[in-house]
Amino acid sequence: MIKDITIGQYYAVDSPIHRLDPRVKLVGTVLFIVSLFVAEGVFGYLAAAGALAFVIHMSRVPFRFMTRGLKSILIIMLISVSFNIFFTEGTPVADVLILRSMTWEGLEKAVYMAIRLIMLILGSTIMTLTTTPNALTDGLEKGLGFLKKLHVPVHELAMMMSIALRFIPILIEETDKIMKAQTARGADFESGGIIRRIKAMVPLLIPLFISAFRRAADLALAMEARCYHGDANRTKMKPLRYEHCDRGAYGCMAAYLVLILILKFVWKGWIAG
Amino acid sequence: MKMIRLFHLMHKFEEYNEEGNVSGESTALDDVSVEIEKGSFVAVLGHNGSGKSTMAKHLNSLLLPDGGTVFIKEYDTRDEAHLWDIRQTAGMVFQNPDNQIIANVVEEDVAFGPENMGVPSQEIWKRVDESLKKVGMAAYRTKSPNQLSGGQKQRVAIAGVMAMKPEIIILDEPTAMLDPVGRMEVIRTIHELNRLEGITVILITHYMEEVVDADRVLVMDGGKLMMDGTPKEIFSRAQELKKYRLDVPQVTELAWELKQEGIELPDGILTIEEFADALCAYRDALK
């Protein structure tokens, strides 16, 4: 049924990665992405790939779920790869036809670029596959808590995000209902060109917006009646607390970064020497 | 002890014309005075626009009086220093079950109230456990609210209020959007809370059957408090109720009609059992 849809792409299974604190996973993902841009040379990339393979294995999410995300960036990847191949200065591959404008340096760059992009997508997919949107919101709220000092309304933004997550299925169901009601009265959402179809959406969107505003007003009232007053003096039922394995994960991340840096300088020395 | 005291409560709404300017005022509550005893189950009846929902919002400081005074226990609702005490003492359940559930998981929604009050985490867990048990929803604690039926959602909302340890629960037409099964679940739950936990219940409704088991019934019309008494007293005045566009329960109506035709039945019959007993007594008397 339409109301059973899941938001995000959380894959429900119990694994050490799933159990990690969402903040660890957020920091880990950012660090991994940074490391991809820092890493240099074959060994650096091998280390990154090794780390990625290890985490994927630990997460117990089937690999085909990870590769789904790759399809969406296929075109971007093709474009950037071909730009790299054709527009990098250097020695041409061969002296015939199109190969004349391809360079060895370009090919090398393109391969690295492709690997980097693939690993970047895989890395961030693991986070969304192993963390529920709610946990992610909690993690962002707590992890970005320091921004409150700069008057960024972190708590309010997180609350808005979690309320949005709660209401998306409800509003989808409502859209479905309005659509059926309008169809019953002769509205046509399916035929005609793009312009006509967009115009046909108007009688769908207006009632949807009105009802969304009404729901928002109701919800605000209900929240006030339950003593909501922002995050001043607010406690949490499930406060985020670092456990042993979270600290361990931070340790692994640090070790991984050091390894990447060492490999980078070793590689540079090797090239130079 | 008096839990709620209203003294000459007035509430006015401003009316707007098409340009959005104030064009007049309408009186939603007009000189309402009533006192409600601790632990009682009070039903408030009234047609649409009778002011019953407006009154409910006054009991939680969601609206403030334009005239008169509202006391919840010893707190004046206009006293901002006690705003959170009032909202914690008098919990409120609304009509639409979807629009009052905030979290994506049942147990986290029940925790929302205590979280706002700054209750320590361990105590929150305890309260969530207890409240979900009290409304019979403990088995659903890790479910998403979207997977629940209307009646179940409404019970989660009641649990959310219970977790704040209120002394009064105000329910503003909690069953209006539910099917008969859900309606029964909710009504049974609030009766249990009233009986077992000693919670003062204010049930606003327009379903007559829900009123029958109340200790006291208030009837409102046009912003005024028109009738006040036990269900028996109120329903024996069927003619008066009709004037306020309210119906008496079907059996009461039938008994009343029979009485008009000269059959000796007592006043204010509320349930089918009572009606059957009265008819039997009448038959025996005829023999």
Side-chain angles (χ1 to χ4, degrees):
Chain A
M1 248 181 52
I2 197 161
K3 69 176 167 186
D4 291 331
I5 58 147
T6 49
I7 316 293
Q9 42 176 351
Y10 181 67
Y11 185 85
V13 68
D14 188 39
S15 82
I17 304 290
H18 283 73
R19 267 175 272 138
L20 283 180
D21 188 296
R23 283 173 292 176
V24 176
K25 286 184 263 190
L26 278 166
V27 171
T29 309
V30 172
L31 280 184
F32 181 71
I33 292 172
V34 170
S35 79
L36 285 177
F37 288 92
V38 171
E40 241 177 274
V42 179
F43 298 115
Y45 279 87
L46 275 178
L52 188 65
F54 174 71
V55 175
I56 289 176
H57 178 73
M58 291 274 282
S59 75
R60 294 175 50 200
V61 179
F63 190 66
R64 63 196 155 86
F65 280 89
M66 316 249 167
T67 49
R68 272 186 199 169
L70 289 178
K71 278 180 206 148
S72 55
I73 61 145
L74 200 65
I75 292 176
I76 299 177
M77 213 159 81
L78 280 179
I79 293 173
S80 66
V81 163
S82 44
F83 265 87
N84 269 305
I85 292 176
F86 291 108
F87 294 98
T88 309
E89 303 272 317
T91 17
V93 173
D95 208 14
V96 277
L97 298 170
I98 195 164
L99 291 181
R100 211 172 316 194
S101 48
M102 288 165 75
T103 61
W104 285 113
E105 285 81 358
L107 266 179
E108 188 188 328
K109 248 186 162 180
V111 169
Y112 278 132
M113 174 67 111
I115 292 174
R116 202 180 267 170
L117 265 178
I118 290 172
M119 291 213 281
L120 191 147
I121 295 296
L122 286 180
S124 43
T125 312
I126 290 177
M127 183 182 70
T128 50
L129 279 169
T130 59
T131 323
T132 59
N134 280 322
L136 215 52
T137 312
D138 276 357
L140 279 172
E141 181 180 358
K142 187 99 185 239
L144 299 177
F146 63 91
L147 287 176
K148 274 182 212 163
K149 293 203 181 79
L150 304 171
H151 300 286
V152 179
V154 179
H155 165 78
E156 284 75 6
L157 288 172
M159 179 60 86
M160 275 155 66
M161 236 168 95
S162 81
I163 288 176
L165 286 172
R166 151 113 182 83
F167 276 89
I168 287 170
I170 295 177
L171 289 177
I172 288 179
E173 209 182 334
E174 187 137 295
T175 314
D176 198 45
K177 257 190 225 165
I178 297 172
M179 214 158 169
K180 279 182 187 144
Q182 306 283 43
T183 314
R185 284 185 282 163
D188 179 8
F189 296 107
E190 263 130 47
S191 62
I194 280 203
I195 306 279
R196 239 193 97 173
R197 279 197 207 187
I198 291 173
K199 274 190 182 160
M201 294 299 269
V202 172
L204 183 69
L205 289 178
I206 290 173
L208 190 66
F209 267 81
I210 290 174
S211 123
F213 279 117
R214 195 168 296 147
R215 279 180 195 281
D218 277 5
L219 191 73
L221 203 65
M223 285 170 75
E224 255 189 89
R226 282 164 78 184
C227 295
Y228 182 70
H229 52 278
D231 68 339
N233 301 323
R234 199 165 192 274
T235 46
K236 285 235 161 209
M237 180 193 191
K238 301 170 182 169
L240 291 177
R241 218 174 281 129
Y242 285 128
E243 306 289 339
H244 286 306
C245 49
D246 297 318
R247 290 192 200 98
Y250 274 131
C252 292
M253 278 179 222
Y256 165 73
L257 271 189
V258 171
L259 179 69
I260 290 284
L261 285 175
I262 290 174
L263 287 174
K264 177 175 175 148
F265 291 117
V266 168
W267 178 261
K268 271 192 172 163
W270 193 56
I271 294 277
Chain B
M1 194 183 130
K2 303 277 188 255
M3 269 317 217
I4 299 171
R5 286 170 294 161
L6 309 184
F7 295 111
H8 308 288
L9 175 61
M10 298 278 279
H11 191 89
K12 295 190 173 90
F13 280 117
E14 285 171 343
E15 281 170 357
Y16 297 92
N17 60 16
E18 277 165 23
E19 283 94 51
N21 301 317
V22 180
S23 64
E25 273 187 340
S26 68
T27 311
L29 288 174
D30 189 0
D31 197 19
V32 176
S33 296
V34 70
E35 293 192 336
I36 286 164
E37 202 59 49
K38 184 180 167 65
S40 58
F41 192 115
V42 180
V44 182
L45 278 176
H47 203 259
N48 288 342
S50 60
K52 55 194 198 307
S53 282
T54 312
M55 188 174 89
K57 288 189 184 116
H58 274 278
L59 304 181
N60 193 278
S61 265
L62 289 171
L63 292 176
L64 295 176
D66 288 325
T69 324
V70 178
F71 283 104
I72 303 299
K73 279 166 71 179
E74 70 272 24
Y75 312 123
D76 184 334
T77 57
R78 262 185 295 208
D79 183 0
E80 272 185 41
H82 291 296
L83 180 62
W84 307 118
D85 293 321
I86 291 167
R87 294 206 173 141
Q88 186 257 310
T89 310
M92 194 142 178
V93 176
F94 296 89
Q95 187 184 73
N96 189 325
D98 272 325
N99 296 357
Q100 54 184 325
I101 293 180
I102 292 112
N104 295 287
V105 181
V106 167
E107 58 178 8
E108 284 176 22
D109 185 71
V110 176
F112 183 74
E115 282 180 341
N116 290 331
M117 287 156 54
V119 176
S121 303
Q122 285 195 322
E123 169 74 10
I124 296 182
W125 279 93
K126 231 173 73 195
R127 287 188 183 196
V128 169
D129 284 344
E130 282 169 11
S131 316
L132 281 172
K133 260 185 219 136
K134 279 175 196 163
V135 300
M137 288 295 291
Y140 299 88
R141 59 181 304 159
T142 56
K143 287 260 162 38
S144 152
N146 295 330
Q147 297 169 327
L148 305 182
S149 72
Q152 290 172 330
K153 277 186 239 185
Q154 214 52 314
R155 284 192 284 159
V156 169
I158 294 172
V161 169
M162 284 302 293
M164 295 165 70
K165 304 226 168 193
E167 292 174 68
I168 309 166
I169 296 188
I170 302 138
L171 302 108
D172 189 357
E173 303 198 32
T175 58
M177 299 180 76
L178 306 183
D179 57 14
V181 178
R183 224 149 79 197
M184 228 172 61
E185 281 172 25
V186 169
I187 295 297
R188 197 176 53 219
T189 307
I190 49 186
H191 271 289
E192 271 170 21
L193 293 178
N194 174 248
R195 214 176 46 238
L196 303 176
E197 309 285 325
I199 307 259
T200 311
V201 173
I202 315 288
L203 173 65
I204 291 163
T205 183
H206 54 242
Y207 289 113
M208 295 301 140
E209 310 83 61
E210 294 174 2
V211 173
V212 173
D213 296 319
D215 300 327
R216 185 173 167 196
V217 179
L218 306 176
V219 177
M220 298 195 60
D221 190 59
K224 287 197 169 72
L225 184 61
M226 296 314 233
M227 297 164 83
D228 180 356
T230 62
K232 250 190 177 34
E233 285 161 16
I234 298 288
F235 288 130
S236 54
R237 288 147 76 184
Q239 282 315 87
E240 211 175 322
L241 278 173
K242 286 216 167 106
K243 207 169 71 197
Y244 306 132
R245 289 168 293 170
L246 292 169
D247 283 321
V248 293
Q250 235 174 7
V251 270
T252 315
E253 170 105 35
L254 181 59
W256 190 80
E257 293 282 350
L258 286 171
K259 205 175 159 199
Q260 299 305 299
E261 298 299 320
I263 295 174
E264 286 293 325
L265 290 172
D267 269 335
I269 287 177
L270 301 177
T271 62
I272 295 173
E273 287 79 33
E274 260 183 272
F275 182 67
D277 290 345
L279 266 187
C280 290
Y282 179 69
R283 183 194 59 196
D284 293 342
L286 279 184
K287 277 178 191 165

